[in-house]
Amino acid sequence: MSERIPEEKLNKILSSTDIVDVVSDYVQLKKQGRNYFGLCPFHGENTPSFSVSPDKQIFHCFGCGAGGNAFTFLMDVDGMSFQEAAQKLGEKVGEEIDVTPSTPNVDHAQLEDEKRMIEAHELLSKFYHHLLLNTKEGQDALEYLLARGFTTESIRKFKIGWSLPNWDFTVKFLEKRGYPLELMEEAGLLVRRERDQSFLDRFRGRIMFPIQNPKGDTVAFSGRSLQKGDEPKYLNSPETKIFNKSKILYHYHGARASIRRKQQAILFEGFADVISANEAEVENGIATMGTSLTEQQIGLIKRLTDTVVICYDGDSAGIEAAFRAGNLLTNHGMNIRIAAIPEQLDPDDYISTYGSEKFQQDVIGAALTFMAFKLRYYKLNKNLNDEGDRLAYIEEVLKEIVGLSSAVEKDFYLRNLADEFDLSLDALQQQMGQTGAPRSKKVQQSPAPVAAPFNRKSQLLPAYQNAERRLIAHMMRDPNIAYKVQDWLAGVSLNVDEHQAIITYLLGYYEEGLPPGARGFIGYLSDERLRRVVTEIEMMSISEECTDDELMDYVKQVLKHQKMLKIKEKEQERKEAERRNDYRKEVEIAMEILQLRKSL
């Protein structure tokens, strides 16, 4: 747990923050009337439906329903915690927030060490980048990169740099700026000389590729040698307190917006493929860090999308790795396609050889379904002219077909198998029944459920729902109205569950003495669904002033709908009594219905 940030400080940060400035760092906004509009960063669209209100200091997408205040925008777009978002905005407006965990088990000295390690990496990343682009020392490395097809734009975007060939330049550079050398050794930036235990630079005379954690902090490097014979070709940072390869995906932070917009991630094996793909206008690429895909990495991807195109090397090792990664992702309920690279090339080489357009169209655009890929995979190293290999292949494919959730898919692949090997469909279906379920229990490959989006149709709501929303809108503006409506409802709940939950939270919000207004209340809500509803309500056009008569009309609409539901229920009871020839009961219910109608 972390210490709760005082509400006064949060309100001060919000009141000093312009949400238009915050959102503009991520979305190109254009002013239309009183609000600003742009393409939503949370889903793909061609027509701007993402609105930012400077008056109300909230954002709302009329396409997908995303909405909130400046805090929740950063939480959603950057995957930050609430405290991290508050700290980031606090730094912008000069309000320092200490997000150090308050639990006694946390080693505060260790947290400070990690902070210093990240600072040193960030400092060196900027310095290496400067050396590459702006000095004579980096000229050869820059020319090498440009000759390899890197553009200056990509070099800047990925912050590629150059480390000097000196043995102790980084040692002196960090020591001069007050960084403890023992700590920098722990950070993986320095090593010790065996003979006298003096410190040396880990990276010398190498093209430097910074590696960032999911928050965008530089936490490691990969250095490529420029001279032939300088081994290893790639020298990577060791695992440290701030760098764990299994928990990081290369370019994850930089690709988030594109992945969200396209609702698809392209998964590569190495950072060179990511950079080349970016040059080819495939900007939603990420890569594992030279290891097999891990559970933690899958968790990162699932924050952004449930659809992944695996684009590994075209050699046998790459195909095996794609098969393993595809199964792992499928077991997590994700939608998988496999982009096949021909001629045993890797993506980087393919783009260099055939160009961006063919990579986009013939590789990414022509990606196979995971089942289609498996049909190819199981044929590898088999001679299908051999009866034993042919039967083994059919058995393997049947096991995969059994695991498919869609009856149409099952029928499609069974017919393909029957046609390919001139077998009867009945025989294959009988064999499939004997095969049973696959050995590994798989989650069905279907998108994860998401909250139903709000769209422009939500303006055409039934009268009672509009009444409830208008009540909430006025209640958020004035605590006195909130308590007045509570008294008038006299314990009767609103008809829509989300609406009732919102006013329950709102009354609790006011009980804590917090100020009225959707901007602050949105931050108080922990449920994303409720935040979306509140944001949509706040974007409604309502009058600033509201009379008691108007409020009472809304309350009457709420109560009227409940009476109408009661009348329908009684009508069913009356019909049931009529069916049983229970005339006394039928008359009794009819009188109840008459009294309810009179009260409308």
Side-chain angles (χ1 to χ4, degrees):
M1 292 292 291
S2 298
E3 279 197 63
R4 185 178 177 88
I5 303 169
E7 292 294 340
E8 302 79 33
K9 181 160 280 193
L10 291 176
N11 290 328
K12 191 172 182 181
I13 292 171
L14 273 182
S15 62
S16 304
T17 298
D18 185 352
I19 193 172
V20 176
D21 292 339
V22 176
V23 175
S24 293
D25 288 341
Y26 301 84
V27 180
Q28 184 176 350
L29 297 174
K30 292 185 178 179
K31 190 168 187 182
Q32 296 180 22
R34 298 179 68 177
N35 294 340
Y36 290 80
F37 284 84
L39 296 175
C40 180
F42 305 115
H43 81 287
E45 62 178 7
N46 296 319
T47 303
S49 63
F50 183 82
S51 174
V52 181
S53 169
D55 296 336
K56 300 174 180 178
Q57 288 294 302
I58 60 173
F59 71 92
H60 176 69
C61 177
F62 293 96
C64 71
N69 59 16
F71 289 145
T72 59
F73 177 81
L74 288 180
M75 290 165 66
D76 293 341
V77 81
D78 276 341
M80 292 181 169
S81 67
F82 179 80
Q83 284 205 329
E84 288 168 340
Q87 184 183 41
K88 183 172 181 176
L89 290 181
E91 288 173 356
K92 284 191 171 185
V93 299
E95 287 289 331
E96 188 175 338
I97 292 178
D98 182 11
V99 295
T100 303
S102 59
T103 50
N105 296 328
V106 173
D107 186 341
H108 297 298
Q110 180 177 320
L111 292 175
E112 185 60 31
D113 285 349
E114 291 174 8
K115 182 180 177 183
R116 295 283 278 164
M117 288 179 176
I118 291 172
E119 285 176 359
H121 276 85
E122 290 284 359
L123 182 63
L124 282 173
S125 176
K126 292 174 183 175
F127 185 68
Y128 291 150
H129 187 57
H130 169 76
L131 285 175
L132 178 69
L133 288 178
N134 302 306
T135 69
K136 287 194 296 184
E137 288 87 347
Q139 189 63 35
D140 288 345
L142 180 60
E143 289 176 0
Y144 169 83
L145 288 170
L146 295 175
R148 281 287 309 271
F150 286 77
T151 63
T152 304
E153 182 183 354
S154 275
I155 291 170
R156 293 186 189 280
K157 181 174 184 178
F158 290 91
K159 301 177 182 176
I160 301 169
W162 167 251
S163 61
L164 294 171
N166 307 49
W167 286 92
D168 61 354
F169 180 86
T170 301
V171 173
K172 294 175 180 176
F173 181 84
L174 292 172
E175 188 174 33
K176 184 178 178 181
R177 284 157 180 79
Y179 291 95
L181 298 186
E182 291 80 5
L183 185 63
M184 296 300 97
E185 180 189 15
E186 283 185 51
L189 296 170
L190 306 179
V191 295
R192 286 185 189 260
R193 196 196 305 266
E194 286 187 19
R195 68 170 184 264
D196 60 3
Q197 293 298 294
S198 61
F199 290 102
L200 303 172
D201 299 358
R202 177 180 292 276
F203 300 101
R204 302 183 300 274
R206 289 178 176 270
I207 296 170
M208 302 295 287
F209 296 88
I211 297 165
Q212 297 177 326
N213 64 17
K215 297 177 186 176
D217 302 319
T218 302
V219 292
F221 291 101
S222 182
R224 190 197 190 285
S225 62
L226 196 58
Q227 303 298 328
K228 286 186 179 179
D230 189 2
E231 297 296 331
K233 184 177 179 181
Y234 283 98
L235 178 64
N236 299 321
S237 293
E239 294 215 343
T240 66
K241 293 175 182 176
I242 61 172
F243 175 54
N244 185 326
K245 287 187 288 187
S246 66
K247 297 179 180 179
I248 285 179
L249 290 162
Y250 182 75
H251 193 48
Y252 177 83
H253 184 264
R256 290 162 311 149
S258 182
I259 291 171
R260 280 199 180 99
R261 188 167 58 250
K262 296 179 180 179
Q263 272 307 293
Q264 179 189 79
I266 314 296
L267 183 63
F268 295 101
E269 285 186 281
F271 59 80
D273 298 329
V274 171
I275 297 171
S276 293
N278 205 270
E279 294 271 10
E281 298 179 12
V282 177
E283 298 178 341
N284 52 334
I286 51 179
T288 52
M289 301 302 303
T291 62
S292 298
L293 189 66
T294 66
E295 299 279 339
Q296 295 97 325
Q297 290 166 337
I298 292 172
L300 288 174
I301 297 170
K302 289 192 76 170
R303 289 183 191 176
L304 306 178
T305 182
D306 287 307
T307 301
V308 178
V309 176
I310 299 172
C311 188
Y312 285 0
D313 294 355
D315 59 11
S316 58
I319 292 169
E320 288 289 346
F323 181 76
R324 291 193 301 271
N327 279 322
L328 192 57
L329 289 162
T330 302
N331 289 341
H332 282 76
M334 302 185 79
N335 301 309
I336 308 304
R337 284 184 171 268
I338 308 292
I341 305 285
E343 304 172 29
Q344 297 194 358
L345 296 173
D346 60 35
D348 183 23
D349 290 335
Y350 183 92
I351 294 167
S352 299
T353 305
Y354 295 105
S356 302
E357 189 173 340
K358 282 188 72 67
F359 179 71
Q360 290 180 39
Q361 295 179 358
D362 298 350
V363 176
I364 302 301
L368 303 168
T369 65
F370 192 39
M371 185 64 191
F373 169 77
K374 286 178 178 178
L375 297 182
R376 291 189 183 185
Y377 173 81
Y378 287 125
K379 287 180 180 178
L380 295 175
N381 303 318
K382 285 188 176 71
N383 177 9
L384 294 184
N385 292 319
D386 177 82
E387 182 180 342
D389 281 1
R390 191 160 62 249
L391 289 172
Y393 170 76
I394 291 169
E395 184 70 19
E396 286 171 330
V397 172
L398 285 176
K399 286 180 180 178
E400 295 293 344
I401 293 174
V402 167
L404 294 174
S405 59
S406 165
V408 173
E409 278 188 287
K410 286 182 179 180
D411 184 70
F412 175 80
Y413 287 113
L414 272 178
R415 290 180 186 277
N416 277 359
L417 198 60
D419 292 343
E420 184 175 4
F421 294 100
D422 197 22
L423 299 168
S424 75
L425 197 58
D426 288 342
L428 286 177
Q429 287 172 333
Q430 184 178 352
Q431 181 66 27
M432 189 172 71
Q434 296 171 3
T435 298
R439 282 171 290 181
S440 61
K441 188 176 180 182
K442 296 179 181 179
V443 177
Q444 302 300 343
Q445 187 171 329
S446 59
V450 295
F454 298 103
N455 53 36
R456 292 177 179 85
K457 292 180 182 178
S458 63
Q459 295 170 3
L460 305 175
L461 295 173
Y464 74 91
Q465 286 194 35
N466 269 324
E468 290 182 358
R469 289 190 165 211
R470 290 183 177 277
L471 280 175
I472 292 170
H474 288 294
M475 290 169 76
M476 286 193 295
R477 294 184 178 186
D478 188 340
N480 294 323
I481 290 178
Y483 292 122
K484 189 182 295 183
V485 171
Q486 182 188 28
D487 291 341
W488 287 344
L489 287 171
V492 175
S493 296
L494 300 186
N495 297 285
V496 180
D497 290 342
E498 287 91 344
H499 295 171
Q500 180 59 39
I502 288 167
I503 67 166
T504 301
Y505 277 115
L506 182 62
L507 291 169
Y509 175 81
Y510 286 144
E511 286 297 325
E512 293 184 28
L514 299 173
R519 178 171 60 174
F521 180 51
I522 287 167
Y524 182 82
L525 295 170
S526 58
D527 188 286
E528 182 184 355
R529 172 77 180 180
L530 297 184
R531 288 203 302 261
R532 289 184 172 208
V533 177
V534 167
T535 307
E536 185 167 89
I537 290 172
E538 182 63 12
M539 295 298 284
M540 292 167 53
S541 177
I542 63 170
S543 60
E544 293 292 329
E545 300 296 328
C546 184
T547 64
D548 283 358
D549 288 343
E550 184 181 347
L551 290 171
M552 182 55 77
D553 283 343
Y554 296 146
V555 171
K556 286 178 180 177
Q557 285 280 3
V558 173
L559 300 176
K560 178 180 178 182
H561 180 71
Q562 297 198 1
K563 289 177 182 177
M564 292 297 294
L565 292 177
K566 189 69 175 176
I567 289 170
K568 285 184 180 180
E569 182 184 321
K570 289 294 180 182
E571 285 287 4
Q572 290 298 319
E573 291 178 13
R574 187 188 63 76
K575 288 179 181 178
E576 179 62 22
E578 182 182 15
R579 189 184 64 79
R580 296 195 314 266
N581 295 321
D582 188 345
Y583 301 116
R584 179 177 294 178
K585 186 68 173 176
E586 183 184 356
V587 170
E588 182 182 317
I589 295 171
M591 292 301 295
E592 290 180 28
I593 293 172
L594 183 62
Q595 291 300 317
L596 284 169
R597 291 191 186 281
K598 285 182 177 179
S599 68
L600 290 176

XYZ file of all heavy atoms in Angstrom, residues 154-192:
330
model
N 14.638 7.962 -37.241
C 14.581 6.759 -36.402
C 15.641 6.795 -35.311
O 15.405 6.376 -34.177
C 14.774 5.496 -37.244
O 13.569 5.081 -37.798
N 16.821 7.293 -35.666
C 17.897 7.391 -34.684
C 17.458 8.289 -33.526
O 17.704 7.994 -32.354
C 19.186 7.921 -35.341
C 19.756 6.856 -36.297
C 20.229 8.299 -34.299
C 20.875 7.347 -37.181
N 16.784 9.377 -33.855
C 16.288 10.279 -32.805
C 15.148 9.625 -32.022
O 15.082 9.719 -30.792
C 15.815 11.597 -33.419
C 16.932 12.446 -34.021
C 16.398 13.807 -34.478
N 17.382 14.534 -35.245
C 18.396 15.216 -34.724
N 18.549 15.245 -33.403
N 19.248 15.855 -35.504
N 14.248 8.985 -32.739
C 13.075 8.395 -32.088
C 13.478 7.323 -31.083
O 12.922 7.245 -29.979
C 12.130 7.805 -33.136
C 10.869 7.188 -32.548
C 9.903 6.760 -33.634
C 8.609 6.227 -33.043
N 7.627 5.851 -34.085
N 14.433 6.476 -31.467
C 14.841 5.374 -30.593
C 16.059 5.731 -29.738
O 16.593 4.880 -29.036
C 15.113 4.121 -31.423
C 13.857 3.522 -32.016
C 13.406 3.887 -33.277
C 13.112 2.621 -31.280
C 12.243 3.348 -33.814
C 11.942 2.072 -31.792
C 11.508 2.438 -33.068
N 16.485 6.989 -29.829
C 17.566 7.527 -28.986
C 18.855 6.704 -29.086
O 19.543 6.461 -28.088
C 17.104 7.608 -27.527
C 15.872 8.486 -27.335
C 15.409 8.493 -25.896
C 14.143 9.329 -25.724
N 13.621 9.277 -24.343
N 19.163 6.265 -30.296
C 20.362 5.458 -30.519
C 21.596 6.335 -30.299
O 21.593 7.529 -30.631
C 20.344 4.868 -31.947
C 19.084 4.011 -32.133
C 21.594 4.033 -32.215
C 18.831 3.592 -33.560
N 22.653 5.779 -29.722
C 23.834 6.566 -29.393
C 25.132 5.856 -29.708
O 25.170 4.822 -30.380
N 26.218 6.439 -29.210
C 27.570 5.904 -29.444
C 28.378 6.062 -28.159
O 28.406 7.139 -27.559
C 28.242 6.646 -30.590
C 29.723 6.398 -30.728
C 30.739 7.273 -30.449
C 30.336 5.187 -31.174
N 31.951 6.686 -30.694
C 31.741 5.387 -31.145
C 29.855 3.946 -31.587
C 32.651 4.409 -31.520
C 30.754 2.968 -31.960
C 32.136 3.208 -31.923
N 28.993 4.956 -27.720
C 29.852 5.024 -26.540
C 31.306 5.111 -26.996
O 31.726 4.390 -27.901
C 29.654 3.783 -25.658
O 29.996 2.597 -26.352
N 32.046 5.997 -26.377
C 33.457 6.203 -26.747
C 34.279 4.943 -26.459
O 33.975 4.189 -25.535
C 34.024 7.382 -25.966
C 33.418 8.752 -26.295
C 33.903 9.794 -25.308
C 33.756 9.155 -27.722
N 35.342 4.722 -27.237
C 36.154 3.515 -27.051
C 37.086 3.571 -25.839
O 37.821 2.619 -25.583
C 36.954 3.439 -28.358
C 37.016 4.836 -28.861
C 35.748 5.491 -28.436
N 37.082 4.652 -25.099
C 37.944 4.788 -23.911
C 37.598 3.746 -22.847
O 36.445 3.345 -22.700
C 37.783 6.182 -23.303
C 37.989 7.281 -24.318
O 37.424 7.244 -25.404
N 38.796 8.262 -23.981
N 38.568 3.365 -22.051
C 38.374 2.377 -21.011
C 37.622 2.933 -19.806
O 36.926 2.196 -19.111
C 39.731 1.824 -20.546
C 40.345 0.887 -21.541
C 41.211 1.200 -22.529
C 40.114 -0.518 -21.639
N 41.547 0.092 -23.253
C 40.886 -0.993 -22.716
C 39.341 -1.439 -20.912
C 40.897 -2.329 -23.097
C 39.362 -2.763 -21.283
C 40.129 -3.205 -22.370
N 37.782 4.227 -19.535
C 37.215 4.747 -18.291
C 36.500 6.080 -18.458
O 36.352 6.833 -17.494
C 38.304 4.885 -17.229
C 39.413 5.860 -17.648
O 39.385 6.337 -18.803
O 40.300 6.129 -16.817
N 36.032 6.391 -19.662
C 35.343 7.666 -19.847
C 34.058 7.712 -19.014
O 33.777 8.697 -18.319
C 35.014 7.902 -21.323
C 34.301 9.207 -21.550
C 35.026 10.383 -21.721
C 32.912 9.292 -21.526
C 34.369 11.602 -21.891
C 32.257 10.503 -21.687
C 32.996 11.652 -21.879
N 33.257 6.641 -19.086
C 31.989 6.618 -18.347
C 32.246 6.637 -16.841
O 31.493 7.260 -16.079
C 31.159 5.378 -18.738
O 30.914 5.415 -20.154
C 29.824 5.353 -18.012
N 33.304 5.959 -16.414
C 33.674 5.967 -14.991
C 33.846 7.409 -14.509
O 33.248 7.833 -13.506
C 34.974 5.171 -14.756
C 35.429 5.327 -13.299
C 34.779 3.700 -15.089
N 34.672 8.179 -15.220
C 34.939 9.564 -14.823
C 33.695 10.440 -14.980
O 33.436 11.319 -14.156
C 36.089 10.122 -15.664
C 37.431 9.443 -15.399
C 38.507 9.955 -16.341
C 39.844 9.284 -16.087
N 40.881 9.698 -17.067
N 32.950 10.196 -16.055
C 31.734 10.974 -16.328
C 30.743 10.845 -15.177
O 30.166 11.839 -14.706
C 31.112 10.468 -17.645
C 29.864 11.191 -18.067
C 29.933 12.377 -18.779
C 28.610 10.674 -17.764
C 28.780 13.034 -19.185
C 27.448 11.328 -18.166
C 27.542 12.507 -18.884
N 30.526 9.612 -14.685
C 29.566 9.389 -13.606
C 30.120 9.834 -12.254
O 29.399 10.408 -11.431
C 29.189 7.903 -13.561
C 28.373 7.387 -14.754
C 28.225 5.875 -14.697
C 27.001 8.049 -14.828
N 31.403 9.566 -12.036
C 32.015 9.938 -10.758
C 31.994 11.451 -10.567
O 31.712 11.958 -9.471
C 33.451 9.416 -10.701
C 34.114 9.578 -9.340
C 35.482 8.922 -9.288
O 36.170 8.902 -10.340
O 35.852 8.426 -8.220
N 32.242 12.176 -11.634
C 32.252 13.640 -11.573
C 30.880 14.188 -11.191
O 30.781 15.263 -10.570
C 32.688 14.187 -12.934
C 32.837 15.702 -12.970
C 33.307 16.155 -14.343
C 33.418 17.682 -14.411
N 33.864 18.138 -15.763
N 29.835 13.435 -11.540
C 28.468 13.900 -11.252
C 27.907 13.301 -9.968
O 26.702 13.363 -9.718
C 27.580 13.590 -12.456
C 27.827 14.555 -13.601
C 27.420 13.994 -14.945
N 27.697 14.991 -15.999
C 28.907 15.207 -16.512
N 29.965 14.500 -16.068
N 29.077 16.118 -17.458
N 28.794 12.706 -9.178
C 28.400 12.269 -7.842
C 27.753 10.911 -7.747
O 27.139 10.588 -6.707
N 27.857 10.092 -8.780
C 27.264 8.759 -8.721
C 28.273 7.778 -8.118
O 29.392 7.655 -8.612
C 26.848 8.280 -10.116
C 25.677 9.048 -10.683
C 25.870 10.137 -11.535
C 24.371 8.698 -10.350
C 24.795 10.847 -12.043
C 23.289 9.401 -10.860
C 23.509 10.474 -11.697
O 22.447 11.172 -12.198
N 27.906 7.047 -7.065
C 28.818 6.075 -6.448
C 29.190 4.976 -7.450
O 28.290 4.365 -8.053
C 28.014 5.507 -5.274
C 26.926 6.500 -5.025
C 26.608 7.110 -6.348
N 30.460 4.706 -7.627
C 30.897 3.756 -8.643
C 30.456 2.329 -8.328
O 30.138 1.553 -9.242
C 32.421 3.831 -8.808
C 32.971 5.184 -9.282
C 34.470 5.095 -9.540
C 32.247 5.665 -10.542
N 30.419 1.971 -7.040
C 29.946 0.628 -6.678
C 28.482 0.447 -7.096
O 28.087 -0.612 -7.591
C 30.079 0.399 -5.162
C 31.499 0.285 -4.655
C 32.161 1.650 -4.473
O 31.465 2.690 -4.659
O 33.362 1.687 -4.154
N 27.694 1.507 -6.918
C 26.292 1.450 -7.318
C 26.162 1.372 -8.835
O 25.299 0.659 -9.371
C 25.551 2.682 -6.783
C 24.030 2.709 -7.021
C 23.359 1.555 -6.288
C 23.442 4.036 -6.572
N 27.029 2.079 -9.546
C 26.987 2.043 -11.009
C 27.420 0.676 -11.551
O 26.981 0.242 -12.611
C 27.878 3.145 -11.589
C 27.417 4.568 -11.251
S 25.738 4.958 -11.866
C 24.716 4.647 -10.407
N 28.270 -0.010 -10.784
C 28.617 -1.392 -11.141
C 27.377 -2.276 -10.987
O 27.083 -3.102 -11.853
C 29.744 -1.907 -10.255
C 30.150 -3.338 -10.576
C 31.109 -3.913 -9.547
O 31.248 -3.336 -8.441
O 31.717 -4.969 -9.842
N 26.653 -2.095 -9.878
C 25.403 -2.837 -9.661
C 24.394 -2.541 -10.768
O 23.600 -3.404 -11.149
C 24.793 -2.462 -8.317
C 25.457 -3.087 -7.117
C 24.687 -2.750 -5.850
O 23.454 -2.961 -5.823
O 25.313 -2.250 -4.898
N 24.426 -1.317 -11.274
C 23.490 -0.913 -12.332
C 23.866 -1.497 -13.685
O 23.100 -1.374 -14.647
C 23.434 0.611 -12.422
N 25.053 -2.114 -13.766
C 25.461 -2.737 -15.016
C 26.188 -1.819 -15.965
O 26.467 -2.190 -17.106
N 26.528 -0.615 -15.521
C 27.192 0.352 -16.396
C 28.718 0.234 -16.345
O 29.403 0.654 -17.280
C 26.770 1.774 -16.006
C 25.281 2.086 -16.196
C 24.935 3.427 -15.565
C 24.906 2.072 -17.674
N 29.222 -0.311 -15.247
C 30.670 -0.441 -15.063
C 31.022 -1.886 -14.726
O 30.169 -2.655 -14.261
C 31.154 0.464 -13.924
C 30.792 1.954 -13.981
C 31.332 2.666 -12.753
C 31.297 2.596 -15.264
N 32.285 -2.245 -14.969
C 32.823 -3.549 -14.559
C 34.143 -3.300 -13.837
O 34.686 -2.199 -13.877
C 33.046 -4.485 -15.767
C 31.723 -4.840 -16.424
C 33.981 -3.851 -16.787
N 34.671 -4.327 -13.172
C 35.952 -4.187 -12.474
C 37.060 -4.912 -13.237
O 36.853 -5.991 -13.779
C 35.856 -4.755 -11.067
C 35.071 -3.881 -10.088
C 35.146 -4.478 -8.705
N 34.255 -3.814 -7.771
C 34.641 -2.891 -6.898
N 35.893 -2.491 -6.865
N 33.763 -2.364 -6.066
